Amino acid sequence: MANFQDSYLSGGNIDFIEGLYARYLEDPSSVDPSWRELFERNDGAGRPIFNRTLIEPPAPVVPGKEGKEGKGAKAAPAPAAAAVALAPQTAPTVAFEQDMKLQSRVDQVISAFRLRGHLRAKLDPLGRPRPPLEHVADVGLVDDSHFSTTELEQMVESSNVFAEARVKLKELMGRLRRTYTGSIGVEFMHMLDSERRRWLLRRMEYTENRTEFTVEEQRHILTKLSYAEGFENFLHTKFVGAKRFALDGGEALVPMMDAVLEVGGDLGLREVVIGMAHRGRLNVLTNILGKKPDQIFSEFEGPKDPKQHMGRGDVKYHMGFSSDHGTRGGQSIHLSLAFNPSHLEAVNPVVEGRVRAKQDRGGDGERTKVMPLLIHGDAAFIGQGVVAETLNLARLKGYETGGTLHLVINNQVGFTTDPSDSRSSIYSTALAQMLDVPIFHVNGDDPEACVHVARLVAEYRQTFKSDVVIDLVCYRRYGHNEGDDPSFTQPAMYDIIRKHPTVRTLYAQQLAEKGRVPADESEAIKQRCLQEFDAALSRARAESQFKEPNALEGLWKPYKGGPESGVPDVTTGVSKETLRSALAKLTEVPEGFNVHRDVERTVLKKRQSMLQTEELQWSEGESLAYATLLSEGYMVRVSGQDVERGTFSHRHAVLNDVKTGEKFVPLRQFTTGKARFDIYNSPLSEMGVLGFEYGYSLDVPDGLIIWEAQFGDFANGAQIIIDQFIAAGESKWRRLSGITLLLPHGYEGQGPEHSSARLERFLSLSAQDNIQVAYPTTPAQIFHLLRRQVLRPLRKPLVVMSPKSLLRRPEAVSKLDELTSGTFQEVIPDKVDPAGVTRLLLCSGKVYYDLVKARDERKDDSIAIVRLEQLYPFPFDELAGLVAKMPKLTELFWVQEEPRNSGAWHFMFPRLHDLAAARGQGPLKLGYIGRAEAASPATGFTQTHNLEQQLIVEEAILRGTKNGR
């Protein structure tokens, strides 16, 4: 038997004591006199603090040696358990002490059940024994064998396990077993919030963690299971060998999701955005979202004309869908299943971003109307870092969504990998303990337990606006996909699975045995499902139901994707009066606001001087873009690491009072209508936060949604989001996005990770007009570019190579007049006379200023330096027009700061040939000028960097005859 702690006031009993104290506050007579005496000593000073001073008895009064208080002084009353030590050991006192010792042991066991009962729960549908857990503290106490038969018959304090204050110990132990060691195991005692713990205690212990379902409710659960199983069986026989990532073994997911929607609908839930990977996805599409099985079967058949889908589209188990779901309670809930790539958990932050956008747009400040529901696999949940990144967003003000319901389909195996090889924790959900949230483990072969948990967590989420996790412990009847043989690597497990009845079969037998739903009725439900699926297949084969994903509906109707050509240019200029007024307002702070003296000098006073010179730097070009968009009613949202101030201290979009810490956001002075300006410093995360902002952009087509990397190269931490969603979303799923990426880029001798934003990666992803890649070099250009992103109807992701040293470089300035007319210039021509040009240098970014300085020092008008401000879509016609105006041109070079194997060179090389061919005026010498090939983006030594930069400029301007090095 495990050793009990001696003190009944030990920390392990704090929940018991808090519960008694709460009851005492409501009705002092409802608690035992010994506890009432103890609580009275607290004098109503808040929750009781049980410390050494409080529980020590007063010194005994020895006759003739009274204290200074005098003979009439009374000793303070002592707690009953301590007072017994002062009195002779009479029989009643001994009995009381024995009762207290028994109660102390009882309380220890209650605490153990609550804390460790999940380790004794019967969670595995396959019935395999759990690994030894004796090394886990207190797990040995999860048992009633610590008490004698006589003790089990005694009355003890129920510690709020029952509504009654005292019950027989055997009744108490029976309830604890049924609550914590049956088909449901719960981890919740780690939670710091005692209010939520007590809420869960009441709902779990008073009900013994089960629901007494009516016959109609049981029939409904059986029907849901029958459709889930029938759908998989139908596909298995009609599309033999086809991948479908079946739900077989985890069919309880379907009635669970149904229960969440029923309870959520009654508690104000009106929209759910769902993210899930492959397993069970087709089943959820048809049995929860209501996608017609005809359409799903048609996707197995494929399109009638394959040519129409060359180079685009996606596999059926990646596709999304949306519908309106009617609950049995009469509520309508809009459901959206997000499109999902094979990077299983990458969709998590995307779903969170979509939900936050819907909440912000719909004014759901309480965050109870729209909920994220994420369905994970066990191996992916514990294995992929984006899960932790997403969990960490849960309580951050810029990203909170009012709680996510996480549902883990626990196959108890990865593709071929056993849990012992894929995690270091007992549970795959251990990661969720980073949050102050409960985790429910439930046996997937007990559908009533599954539905009970689903109902409970839906109520919990709506009540506390908190994440909650369900671990649905099930199995995978077939392999990772239906063409795989799992017995190669898990022969023992699959020997059990082959003989194991389905959950629908087990539940139907159970209902028949209890006289709830007769066997013939269960069979009739099963046959009805199969008949409906058979009819759907006939319809699909008679007339193809194949449909591409819906697009450009609702909010997206005014916008378009496809090629940039045909989209009219928009004027992004703003009147000088408006710009001057905005700039003036950006210098103002509330009366009494104490600005940091350096911020006042370098930002506010600098802007005041700009009103005189009308010469702007980068920060002002960017800020005026935001201010004018906000004043025109458009939303602007910016997030990323340290974006409020800006990594390079250029933005200062949020000012902090140096004395009070109060914050002031100048740009919020410009909001009109539904416009809002949100800017959030993000956690140190790229993949999670960029995924969130991409998701946000999917539901805010009429706003400017920006993610900024601290340094451009850090975007490689979000490469999955860039590759699978941003670059390919339109091609795969017909989903448009106007997400904007600001990636600081430029070679200033700051080393490999602080130089390159990996421009080459974005250019290699560029095709079919999928994204925009820009490299602006002036404040006017960023002003027009950001405004163009919102004002024209084309919606494409925008990737901006944004500056570092150009933020304050004296040459990189713009006159206010440059912001008053026109639009973003994709190409900025040189000012030299093209008629005399013999050498044309094409470049992008900071190197332009180095080249111009060297060229102007030589006063060589035979060299033209043209800035390519938009690399993709490539402005071929405009460049070809410039080249055609240079009759003496003999040399055309691409100049870049990046190494030859990086940057834009490999993208530009074929396009330079196309420009030369289009010119038709004699041969052109084409070449590259820049750094040599390198495995690392940049040197880590400033002196070496300076030498490399000098050599680039010399080769371009002074010699210009070497075709690279």
Side-chain angles (χ1 to χ4, degrees):
M1 181 185 295
N3 291 325
F4 291 97
Q5 296 184 28
D6 292 334
S7 173
Y8 68 95
L9 296 173
S10 65
N13 290 328
I14 189 64
D15 277 289
F16 162 69
I17 297 170
E18 283 187 344
L20 282 180
Y21 186 62
R23 211 162 72 202
Y24 162 79
L25 292 176
E26 294 178 4
D27 180 9
S29 65
S30 67
V31 301
D32 187 271
S34 61
W35 287 109
R36 187 162 64 245
E37 185 178 2
L38 181 62
F39 294 146
E40 285 170 354
R41 292 193 61 198
N42 196 46
D43 295 327
R47 53 186 287 189
I49 304 298
F50 299 99
N51 54 34
R52 180 177 175 83
T53 303
L54 182 62
I55 65 173
E56 276 188 349
V61 178
V62 180
K65 294 188 177 182
E66 294 88 348
K68 62 182 179 180
E69 291 84 356
K71 293 182 180 180
K74 293 184 178 180
V84 295
L86 307 179
Q89 296 294 300
T90 61
T93 304
V94 171
F96 182 77
E97 184 174 3
Q98 290 174 344
D99 286 347
M100 291 304 294
K101 287 182 177 178
L102 174 60
Q103 187 66 53
S104 178
R105 292 164 55 207
V106 169
D107 294 339
Q108 290 288 332
V109 171
I110 292 172
S111 178
F113 267 94
R114 290 168 171 172
L115 183 64
R116 306 296 188 200
H118 60 90
L119 296 174
R120 297 296 193 201
K122 303 169 186 64
L123 300 177
D124 187 358
L126 303 179
R128 297 171 299 174
R130 300 184 71 159
L133 296 167
E134 278 62 34
H135 64 285
V136 180
D138 298 333
V139 73
L141 301 181
V142 185
D143 193 351
D144 57 8
S145 63
H146 304 294
F147 304 104
S148 67
T149 303
T150 302
E151 288 173 328
L152 289 171
E153 294 295 330
Q154 286 186 236
M155 299 292 288
V156 294
E157 289 279 349
S158 75
S159 302
N160 287 322
V161 175
F162 284 78
E164 298 82 4
R166 296 176 67 82
V167 296
K168 281 189 176 182
L169 178 54
K170 67 178 181 181
E171 295 173 359
L172 181 63
M173 291 298 105
R175 173 163 286 189
L176 290 171
R177 283 197 310 273
R178 291 187 292 273
T179 300
Y180 294 113
T181 65
S183 295
I184 300 170
V186 193
E187 296 178 85
F188 70 108
M189 292 297 287
H190 62 279
M191 293 165 56
L192 300 177
D193 189 331
S194 59
E195 178 190 358
R196 288 189 280 141
R197 283 203 314 272
R198 287 197 293 270
W199 187 92
L200 287 168
L201 283 171
R202 288 192 295 273
R203 277 160 175 75
M204 293 189 300
E205 292 176 348
Y206 285 13
T207 65
E208 298 185 355
N209 241 344
R210 63 183 179 183
T211 299
E212 295 295 335
F213 292 101
T214 66
V215 172
E216 185 55 39
E217 289 171 331
Q218 290 173 324
R219 185 180 291 110
H220 181 72
I221 294 171
L222 178 63
T223 301
K224 286 294 180 183
L225 289 173
S226 298
Y227 273 89
E229 179 185 299
F231 179 79
E232 299 296 356
N233 285 343
F234 190 83
L235 291 177
H236 193 61
T237 56
K238 300 297 183 181
F239 301 98
V240 179
K243 286 185 181 181
R244 69 178 194 277
F245 298 97
L247 190 58
D248 298 276
E251 294 95 335
L253 173 70
V254 171
M256 289 177 79
M257 292 182 70
D258 178 75
V260 167
L261 298 176
E262 290 292 329
V263 173
D266 290 341
L267 295 176
L269 190 63
R270 294 296 174 263
E271 188 164 1
V272 178
V273 183
I274 305 167
M276 68 180 297
H278 304 23
R279 177 152 159 75
R281 188 181 184 92
L282 299 180
N283 210 310
V284 167
L285 276 167
T286 189
N287 287 315
I288 295 296
L289 280 92
K291 184 175 182 179
K292 292 182 179 180
D294 317 32
Q295 291 179 246
I296 295 176
F297 299 155
S298 289
E299 290 166 5
F300 277 91
E301 299 282 346
K304 296 296 184 183
D305 184 3
K307 293 180 181 178
Q308 293 183 2
H309 301 271
M310 292 180 69
R312 62 187 180 89
D314 202 352
V315 291
K316 50 193 167 292
Y317 39 80
H318 287 178
M319 305 305 280
F321 189 74
S322 62
S323 64
D324 290 320
H325 174 87
T327 70
R328 287 178 293 151
Q331 304 298 334
S332 177
I333 302 178
H334 186 71
L335 304 181
S336 300
L337 178 63
F339 295 82
N340 198 90
S342 287
H343 296 76
L344 304 180
E345 300 291 331
V347 77
N348 296 351
V350 176
V351 166
E352 301 291 347
R354 290 198 62 190
V355 169
R356 177 58 180 262
K358 290 174 181 290
Q359 292 172 342
D360 288 351
R361 179 181 285 278
D364 184 14
E366 292 296 314
R367 311 202 187 284
T368 55
K369 295 179 182 177
V370 191
M371 181 186 80
L373 169 56
L374 295 175
I375 303 174
H376 314 268
D378 53 322
F381 190 84
I382 193 65
Q384 296 190 10
V386 71
V387 177
E389 291 190 35
T390 305
L391 290 172
N392 188 49
L393 300 177
R395 290 291 184 183
L396 304 183
K397 63 181 180 180
Y399 310 93
E400 62 183 349
T401 55
T404 300
L405 199 165
H406 299 271
L407 206 163
V408 178
I409 302 177
N410 189 345
N411 301 320
Q412 305 187 76
V413 65
F415 187 163
T416 66
T417 305
D418 291 316
S420 59
D421 294 321
S422 65
R423 64 176 187 259
S424 300
S425 55
I426 295 173
Y427 296 118
S428 63
T429 53
L431 192 64
Q433 288 196 357
M434 67 184 282
L435 300 182
D436 199 35
V437 303
I439 303 168
F440 293 82
H441 308 274
V442 60
N443 188 318
D445 265 6
D446 188 341
E448 291 192 4
C450 292
V451 172
H452 168 80
V453 168
R455 288 180 169 189
L456 180 60
V457 300
E459 184 183 3
Y460 175 90
R461 190 273 174 190
Q462 290 297 91
T463 301
F464 294 106
K465 323 297 187 299
S466 164
D467 281 38
V468 60
V469 179
I470 302 175
D471 176 21
L472 174 60
V473 185
C474 52
Y475 58 91
R476 193 179 63 201
R477 185 164 292 277
Y478 302 104
H480 172 68
N481 62 68
E482 289 64 36
D484 181 59
D485 186 349
S487 64
F488 290 162
T489 49
Q490 281 81 28
M493 180 182 190
Y494 275 86
D495 186 54
I496 298 173
I497 290 173
R498 277 191 292 270
K499 303 170 186 175
H500 190 70
T502 67
V503 59
R504 191 211 68 85
T505 300
L506 292 171
Y507 190 52
Q509 291 173 353
Q510 176 187 334
L511 294 178
E513 290 168 1
K514 292 181 178 179
R516 308 287 282 183
V517 180
D520 57 349
E521 185 178 346
S522 297
E523 182 62 23
I525 294 172
K526 175 182 176 180
Q527 293 303 319
R528 184 175 74 240
C529 300
L530 296 177
Q531 290 169 6
E532 290 182 14
F533 292 134
D534 196 55
L537 179 60
S538 297
R539 290 193 298 270
R541 287 176 171 170
E543 182 178 349
S544 176
Q545 305 291 314
F546 184 85
K547 293 182 179 178
E548 288 197 86
N550 294 333
L552 302 181
E553 297 179 349
L555 292 171
W556 285 93
K557 280 186 177 179
Y559 305 98
K560 73 181 296 293
E564 187 178 49
S565 59
V567 177
D569 281 336
V570 292
T571 298
T572 53
V574 177
S575 73
K576 181 179 283 191
E577 181 183 356
T578 299
L579 292 170
R580 286 185 60 86
S581 173
L583 187 58
K585 195 176 287 189
L586 288 172
T587 69
E588 299 171 358
V589 296
E591 186 176 351
F593 192 90
N594 303 286
V595 183
H596 190 285
R597 62 181 183 180
D598 287 344
V599 174
E600 184 174 21
R601 175 178 57 85
T602 62
V603 179
L604 303 185
K605 289 187 175 179
K606 183 190 72 172
R607 288 176 176 173
Q608 289 171 354
S609 68
M610 288 179 182
L611 288 168
Q612 306 303 318
T613 63
E614 295 192 349
E615 197 170 76
L616 308 175
Q617 289 188 327
W618 192 275
S619 175
E620 287 64 47
E622 179 189 331
S623 296
L624 287 173
Y626 302 150
T628 53
L629 286 171
L630 291 166
S631 65
E632 293 166 22
Y634 298 102
M635 175 190 180
V636 177
R637 176 185 166 94
V638 185
S639 83
Q641 293 157 22
D642 305 297
V643 294
E644 291 182 2
R645 190 197 77 181
T647 298
F648 308 102
S649 296
H650 80 286
R651 183 172 290 120
H652 291 287
V654 178
L655 303 180
N656 298 273
D657 190 303
V658 296
K659 294 183 179 179
T660 67
E662 182 184 354
K663 294 181 181 294
F664 173 63
V665 184
L667 282 163
R668 288 191 178 145
Q669 302 173 92
F670 297 92
T671 56
T672 56
K674 295 183 178 180
R676 53 186 292 164
F677 178 73
D678 291 328
I679 186 164
Y680 299 107
N681 288 338
S682 78
L684 201 64
S685 158
E686 286 84 31
M687 185 173 176
V689 175
L690 180 55
F692 187 99
E693 300 306 332
Y694 171 79
Y696 200 101
S697 75
L698 295 179
D699 282 86
V700 183
D702 51 349
L704 180 61
I705 312 302
I706 294 176
W707 176 74
E708 182 176 66
Q710 191 171 59
F711 288 90
D713 196 43
F714 293 178
N716 59 17
Q719 201 64 46
I720 290 173
I721 302 298
I722 294 166
D723 290 353
Q724 308 303 326
F725 291 95
I726 293 175
E730 182 178 352
S731 177
K732 293 192 296 186
W733 311 315
R734 301 183 68 201
R735 282 298 179 266
L736 305 182
S737 166
I739 182 73
T740 296
L741 280 59
L742 299 182
L743 309 178
H745 176 90
Y747 281 60
E748 281 107 359
Q750 295 188 40
E753 280 72 55
H754 292 170
S755 296
S756 175
R758 300 288 187 174
L759 173 61
E760 64 278 2
R761 292 183 181 171
F762 294 98
L763 293 176
S764 71
L765 292 170
S766 299
Q768 297 178 311
D769 292 281
N770 60 334
I771 60 176
Q772 307 164 90
V773 181
Y775 201 165
T777 55
T778 72
Q781 283 287 83
I782 192 64
F783 172 85
H784 289 296
L785 179 61
L786 293 176
R787 285 180 54 80
R788 185 184 78 165
Q789 181 71 352
V790 177
L791 296 180
R792 68 175 178 173
L794 188 74
R795 282 295 171 268
K796 301 283 180 177
L798 171 61
V799 179
V800 181
M801 299 289 111
S802 62
K804 294 181 292 182
S805 64
L806 292 192
L807 294 172
R808 297 180 180 86
R809 186 160 178 160
E811 306 99 294
V813 296
S814 297
K815 285 292 187 180
L816 197 62
D817 288 339
E818 295 177 59
L819 280 60
T820 61
S821 61
T823 188
F824 175 70
Q825 295 177 266
E826 297 176 358
V827 178
I828 301 181
D830 204 348
K831 295 178 181 178
V832 300
D833 183 359
V837 171
T838 59
R839 185 186 309 152
L840 172 58
L841 304 179
L842 285 179
C843 66
S844 290
K846 180 178 71 69
V847 72
Y848 164 79
Y849 293 97
D850 297 331
L851 295 173
V852 166
K853 181 180 178 183
R855 191 269 313 270
D856 290 351
E857 286 174 353
R858 291 191 66 199
K859 299 180 180 179
D860 187 348
D861 288 344
S862 68
I863 300 175
I865 305 171
V866 173
R867 280 172 280 178
L868 186 56
E869 302 273 294
Q870 176 176 295
L871 290 102
Y872 190 83
F874 186 68
F876 180 85
D877 291 342
E878 192 167 352
L879 282 172
L882 284 175
V883 171
K885 296 176 181 178
M886 300 176 180
K888 296 181 181 180
L889 187 65
T890 58
E891 297 175 316
L892 174 56
F893 292 102
W894 172 253
V895 186
Q896 66 179 38
E897 294 183 297
E898 303 86 354
R900 186 184 184 113
N901 57 313
S902 303
W905 168 239
H906 289 292
F907 172 82
M908 289 298 302
F909 178 69
R911 289 164 177 80
L912 293 183
H913 279 274
D914 292 343
L915 284 172
R919 179 171 177 260
Q921 297 181 22
L924 273 180
K925 181 178 182 179
L926 306 178
Y928 161 84
I929 298 174
R931 285 173 168 81
E933 290 187 352
S936 177
T939 178
F941 302 100
T942 303
Q943 298 91 331
T944 304
H945 160 78
N946 291 336
L947 175 61
E948 291 174 347
Q949 199 76 2
Q950 178 185 343
L951 292 174
I952 292 172
V953 174
E954 288 179 355
E955 185 171 351
I957 302 298
L958 303 180
R959 294 191 292 273
T961 55
K962 294 184 179 179
N963 190 3
R965 293 186 301 282

